[in-house]
Each structure stands twice: as C-alpha cells, then as structure tokens.
Amino acid sequence: MTDFFKDIPTITFEGPETTNEFAFRHYDPNEMIMGKPLKDHLRFSAAYWHSFAWPGGDPFGGQTFERPWFGDTMALAKHKADVAFDMFQRLGLPFFCFHDADVRPEGEGFAENTRNLEEMVDYFAEKIAETGVKLLWGTANLFSHRRYMAGAATNPNPEVFAFSAATIKTCMDATIKLGGENYVLWGGREGYETLLNTDLGRERQQAGRMLQMVVDYKHKTGFKGAILIEPKPQEPTKHQYDYDVATVYGFLKEFGLEGEVQVNIEQGHAILAGHSFEHELAMARELGIFGSIDMNRNDYQSGWDTDQFPNNVPEVALAYYEVLRAGGFTTGGTNFDAKLRRQSIDPEDLILAHIGGMDTCAAGFKAAAALFESGALEEQRTARYSGWESELGQILMASNLAEIEALTRENAINPEPRSGRQERLENIVNRFV
C-alpha cells in the first residue's frame, strides 16, 4: 500500500442499507448470478490513462491535478505503478488496461521508448505476481504525440507508418508477456480533417494492411487473446474510418478479417455516432464480433466525449442485457474508460468514482440478469416475428419478386398493421430496473 490512499480503507460489500461512502452497496463480487460469481460476469478493469496519466485538462484549460508521480523519469513511472496497483487492490479490481505512453516516459525515439516500456513491463510483471491483478488488454498510444497529427497507419508519411507498426509490435509483446487477455487498436487519429488533401482509398489500404500485420503477428506469436478494434466516429478528426460497429465490420470484410477481429465498444463513442450503447452491442452480437466494453457515459449537453463514470442504472441494465444476449464476456470485460471531473482533485475522489461506477454496473447487471432470466422480452420478441416461422414466411424467403406477386394476388394478401407494443415492453423493463 502507498501513502497516496493512506486514509482510505479496503472497499468491501456492506449492502444497500449502508451509509458508508467507502463500501459497496450493490457489488458483492461473490454473489452468485446465473450460475457464477458477479465478479466473473462483470470482469471489472481500471483505465491506467484516465486514472493515473490524465492531468485534469479540458479544451479550455490545462492541468488541475497535482499527482506525486507526474514527471518524465522511470522512478516516477514506477511510483505511479505502485499507486495504481494499490488502488486496484483496495477496490478489488481484477484487471487493468494501459497504453504504452501511460506507463513509460517518452524517449528521444523508438529505441528509448522501447527500453522504457520493457523496463516497466518487468516491473508490472512483479506487481501482477504480488497482487493477482491481471491485464485485460494493452494497446499503443498512436495519437497523442505530434508525429501522429495526420494519423498513424493512415499517415501520408511512410516513416510514421513504420514507427507506428514497430510500436504496435512492442505493445503486443508487452501484452503477451504480461498475460493480457486481449489487444486493442484504437485509431484516435485514423481519419481526415479535410478531403482537400486526403486520398481515402490509399489511407484505407494502409489501415487494412496494418491490421493484417497485427493479425499475422498474433498467429506468429501464438497469442490466444482477442484482437479488438474500438469504434469511434469523431473527435479529434472530423471523420474517422472506424465510425461505428457496422462501419468496422464493413472494413473487416473488405480485408478478409471478419473472423479474426472483434470490437471493444465504448458507451461514449456510441453516443457520438448517434447510436445508443445497446444498439452498438446488439449490432456487434448480430455480426459475430462482440468482444469487450469500455464503460462510461457522456454529458448529453456537451458535444464531445466527456468520459464520465456511469451512474444511470437503467442505461447500464439495457447494455448488460445485450451483453447477456451475446453470451457474456469471454476474454473481454468492463473497463472503466472514465475520468474524474477536473474539479475532483482529491485522492478519495478517485476511489469514490470507481465505487460508484462498480455499484452502478452491479445494480444494472443484476437487473439485466433478472430480466433475461424472466424471458419476458424474448417472449414478446418471438411472438412479434412468429409469422416468419410459418409456411408463408418460409416460402417468401425462398421466392423471387414475380412469384411473390403471384402469391399475393392469388391469396388476396392485404395485411393490417399490428401493434409494436413499445410502451408495454418499456413497462416490463421498468419492473426490473
């Protein structure tokens, strides 16, 4: 344990009636739900970048956080790791996630970056052995440094492509060495700002080739985890090539990777794409590419990705309902890609934010599980489409337009509208949440 959280106890479950701020009200990790412990359903993870690397700035102001590990030395990077694993243990978080730039100082170039990362990976390995906290996924930060201002894989400069590919390899190596269960690619600047200087076809080919290299390296190394793409529609670039789940799937099909790559879906990104979180989860399930989630929420009155901790149980319940319909997590989990508000500067704010997020997810998941086990929604869904299981439905799917015209004439088909029963369904949901 470190001094940063010295006055904060280990967080335990005390139940819904507790008034203790530093306790879980809904998250009992060992509570059995649908045949397994709640902790194994949710697979919580903390985001290293927001919790320990983010300085508290926004588009209109700079750093508000003053952390004792901020700085560009290896000693400070290791102190940051000490504090991070302290938090993971106090909260009982089983996983964490990181970008390379979150955990190591920026070097003079690729070689120094790699040396710094490898030293931190060795340090993480010791921490993992001591605590039992595991790596949910690793990734490369290919968007923050000025070299990436025109993208990484899609950059018009082939030297940036080379630097990016080499960095991805080192980050995959780090993930594999630490026993990570997934590797994520988030193309933070893989898009364009203006079409006046952009070759869309060339940039798509570069992005596709990079992803093929990643998949090839996965098989070469024997990595058993999933390769995940995280869709995001905008911010910072005007239009990004990984806009939403459906767009990513089209990209995967184009490059023959639909059986190799899944998606890591973030609530905030779904909202920026004009969707709901549950829509993106359902689409990933239907396309067979559901992998993992980044849990957060957006401020619906702001025009950017605010990455707030989740606090809306009904929204979370609908999301986890779709996760359950997808069969639950395998290698994926619930990563809190969420950050404190820039005014929340105290150590306890970081702990309390995670307590609230974990409790919100637990309450939402339990509501989703009860709804799922009741079968109430699925009964209504099955009934709505039951006509397609009839002889007529089977004939229509096997016919052509001329045959269907003749059938419609011969049988005088003249359908009347049927109620979609939306309010009834919403009432069913509200019985559980």
Side-chain angles (χ1 to χ4, degrees):
M1 297 300 185
T2 65
D3 289 339
F4 189 72
F5 298 118
K6 62 182 178 181
D7 297 323
I8 299 173
T10 298
I11 311 305
T12 60
F13 173 73
E14 293 186 4
E17 304 305 318
T18 187
T19 58
N20 179 8
E21 285 187 297
F22 293 97
F24 294 121
R25 299 177 66 246
H26 301 288
Y27 178 58
D28 177 357
N30 297 313
E31 181 179 357
M32 297 299 292
I33 305 287
M34 295 177 64
K36 66 180 182 181
L38 186 55
K39 63 182 179 182
D40 293 342
H41 282 293
L42 294 170
R43 291 169 59 86
F44 283 134
S45 170
Y48 211 93
W49 53 99
H50 283 330
S51 291
F52 304 104
W54 184 60
D58 67 14
F60 304 100
Q63 178 174 332
T64 59
F65 298 160
E66 295 180 353
R67 305 303 198 204
W69 57 83
F70 281 178
D72 294 323
T73 69
M74 290 302 296
L76 288 172
K78 291 177 180 178
H79 180 46
K80 184 197 304 185
D82 293 339
V83 175
F85 276 83
D86 182 357
M87 190 188 83
F88 305 156
Q89 288 181 278
R90 288 177 194 266
L91 287 162
L93 286 162
F95 295 101
F96 73 107
C97 301
F98 71 90
H99 304 80
D100 58 327
D102 305 328
V103 303
R104 52 111 179 112
E106 186 70 23
E108 291 297 320
F110 174 74
E112 187 176 359
N113 281 351
T114 302
R115 286 195 300 272
N116 291 345
L117 177 62
E118 288 174 346
E119 184 173 341
M120 286 308 303
V121 166
D122 289 341
Y123 198 68
F124 276 166
E126 295 174 8
K127 292 288 184 184
I128 288 171
E130 291 170 5
T131 66
V133 177
K134 296 184 287 187
L135 179 63
L136 186 65
W137 49 261
T139 187
N141 181 327
L142 303 179
F143 49 88
S144 292
H145 194 279
R146 65 193 297 268
R147 71 173 64 91
Y148 303 121
M149 64 183 183
T154 60
N155 201 289
N157 182 349
E159 291 185 351
V160 177
F161 184 100
F163 196 103
S164 303
T167 299
I168 288 173
K169 177 188 176 297
T170 64
C171 291
M172 291 184 72
D173 290 341
T175 299
I176 293 167
K177 183 171 182 178
L178 293 174
E181 300 198 14
N182 310 268
Y183 184 81
V184 169
L185 297 129
W186 178 62
R189 296 191 187 274
E190 308 293 22
Y192 66 84
E193 294 178 356
T194 175
L195 280 173
L196 298 177
N197 63 0
T198 300
D199 185 334
L200 288 173
R202 178 181 291 277
E203 291 196 1
R204 286 179 60 81
Q205 288 299 314
Q206 291 173 205
R209 183 67 191 116
M210 182 77 84
L211 187 56
Q212 289 171 340
M213 292 178 187
V214 168
V215 170
D216 288 345
Y217 193 65
K218 168 189 171 173
H219 292 306
K220 179 180 179 180
T221 59
F223 178 51
K224 301 303 182 184
I227 302 298
L228 306 173
I229 287 180
E230 182 166 324
K232 186 177 183 182
Q234 53 187 314
E235 190 230 37
T237 50
K238 182 167 66 175
H239 186 96
Q240 292 178 204
Y241 300 131
D242 51 2
Y243 189 89
D244 60 7
V245 170
T247 306
V248 168
Y249 184 73
F251 177 83
L252 296 177
K253 289 281 286 186
E254 180 179 354
F255 293 97
L257 297 169
E258 66 272 20
E260 298 281 1
V261 180
Q262 299 172 332
V263 284
N264 180 58
I265 304 170
E266 180 183 311
Q267 195 268 4
H269 296 174
I271 300 305
L272 286 177
H275 304 308
S276 66
F277 194 17
E278 59 268 26
H279 165 87
E280 290 288 84
L281 292 165
M283 184 64 72
R285 181 192 68 247
E286 293 301 322
L287 295 172
I289 57 173
F290 171 70
S292 193
I293 64 174
D294 273 2
M295 183 63 82
N296 55 26
R297 65 185 167 97
N298 273 5
D299 182 334
Y300 293 118
Q301 293 172 303
S302 295
W304 61 82
D305 189 6
T306 54
D307 287 327
Q308 295 170 244
F309 279 86
N311 69 355
N312 187 320
V313 172
E315 279 191 347
V316 168
L318 292 175
Y320 278 123
Y321 187 83
E322 296 301 331
V323 171
L324 287 170
R325 290 187 70 205
F329 296 119
T330 52
T331 61
T334 303
N335 178 49
F336 287 112
D337 189 358
K339 57 180 180 257
L340 297 174
R341 300 304 85 199
R342 67 195 305 266
Q343 299 179 52
S344 300
I345 61 176
D346 296 336
E348 56 261 36
D349 293 326
L350 192 53
I351 298 293
L352 291 169
H354 282 87
I355 292 172
M358 294 166 78
D359 261 347
T360 296
C361 289
F365 181 86
K366 286 189 279 190
L371 176 59
F372 186 81
E373 288 192 302
S374 77
L377 284 187
E378 299 317 305
E379 180 181 347
Q380 294 286 328
R381 196 189 317 268
T382 299
R384 188 180 187 206
Y385 292 95
S386 60
W388 286 98
E389 302 302 320
S390 68
E391 182 181 1
L392 174 61
Q394 301 301 310
I395 290 172
L396 291 176
M397 294 302 289
S399 299
N400 59 42
L401 290 181
E403 291 169 340
I404 291 175
E405 182 197 17
L407 183 148
T408 302
R409 289 179 182 276
E410 291 168 7
N411 292 276
I413 293 177
N414 188 25
E416 292 291 330
R418 298 176 182 175
S419 174
R421 300 178 173 181
Q422 182 172 331
E423 292 75 18
R424 176 180 293 180
L425 299 173
E426 290 168 349
N427 290 347
I428 289 172
V429 171
N430 284 337
R431 292 208 307 264
F432 293 87
V433 301

